[in-house]
């Protein structure tokens, strides 16, 4: 059994999770401070969550392909993401970003506003408040968002196969390997990959539940501490 789809999936999911974390945190922090247009911006950032993955992959294929000016520009400087593992990373980032962003936004909005006001009164800058007040208080929710984002990236199929294709040893992820095995009539191999994916999914759910429970205990202790 060739395990390259497992390592490719883990590599893509880990890189995508790191990128979505770096993008999702400032996006969630910024949207919570918006006034007018907040719901519009939130809808734009969340739209990949409701679009079919194949539609997302098709749009990425147009954006990075030769049919667009951006795609031709990238190719003119020697950058090609079509049918590469980097393209798979981009697909994973796009489809998992809304999960990270919305989870982080929910965690940030649950932080006690009195702590934030106190930090501003002390003269802290917004970035310092985010780093020293928001993240320590919201870490269980942020961790749960990261875990779910990793799971979304790990199981991505539609957008990945559209932009990265199905190249064994290069872009073939576990989900694509299941599809390929079934297309080839090898149900036994497909079942093995399904069991591996289910195992990873179970581990991810356990981690998410742990983070959620930690957040609940933290809020409960904070509430009882005030009284």
């Amino acid at each position: 059994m060739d395990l390259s789809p497992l390592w490719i999936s883990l590599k893509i999911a880990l890189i995508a999770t790191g990128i979505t974390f770096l993008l999702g945190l400032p996006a969630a922090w910024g949207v919570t401070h918006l006034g007018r247009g907040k719901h519009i911006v939130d809808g734009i950032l969340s739209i990949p969550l409701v679009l079919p993955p194949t539609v997302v992959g098709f749009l990425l294929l147009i954006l990075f392909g030769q049919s667009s000016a951006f795609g031709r520009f990238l190719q003119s400087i020697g950058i090609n993401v079509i049918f590469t593992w980097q393209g798979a990373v981009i697909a994973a980032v796009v489809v998992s970003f809304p999960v990270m962003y919305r989870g982080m936004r929910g965690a940030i909005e649950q932080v006690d506003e009195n702590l934030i006001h106190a930090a501003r009164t002390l003269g802290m800058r917004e970035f310092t408040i985010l780093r020293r007040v928001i993240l320590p208080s919201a870490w269980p929710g942020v961790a749960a968002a990261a875990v779910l984002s990793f799971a979304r990236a790990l199981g991505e199929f539609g957008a990945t196969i559209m932009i990265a294709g199905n190249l064994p040893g290069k872009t073939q992820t576990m989900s694509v390997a299941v599809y390929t095995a079934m297309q080839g009539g090898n149900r036994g191999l497909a079942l093995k990959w399904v069991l591996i994916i289910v195992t990873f999914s179970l581990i991810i759910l356990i981690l998410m539940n742990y983070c959620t429970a930690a957040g609940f205990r933290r809020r409960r202790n904070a509430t009882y501490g005030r009284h």
Side-chain angles (χ1 to χ4, degrees), residues 96 99 143-153 204-205 208:
S96 63
V99 179
V147 170
L148 283 178
S149 179
F150 176 81
R152 183 67 186 85
I204 289 169
L205 287 173
M208 186 196 68

Side-chain angles (χ1 to χ4, degrees), residues 85-126:
W85 72 268
Q86 291 90 342
V89 170
I90 293 174
V93 167
V94 172
V95 299
S96 63
F97 172 81
V99 179
M100 181 76 79
Y101 154 72
R102 296 188 69 85
M104 284 185 166
R105 181 185 165 191
I108 290 173
E109 289 177 343
Q110 291 181 6
V111 175
D112 190 347
E113 292 186 0
N114 293 325
L115 295 175
I116 300 174
H117 292 322
R120 287 174 179 156
T121 302
L122 294 172
M124 286 187 182
R125 296 181 178 181
E126 293 299 316

Side-chain angles (χ1 to χ4, degrees), residues 16 28 35 55 65 79-81 83-84 97-98 119 133 136 139 141 148 178 184 198:
V55 173
I79 298 176
N80 180 37
V81 299
F83 301 125
T84 65
F97 172 81
V133 178
W139 76 262
L148 283 178
V178 173
V198 169

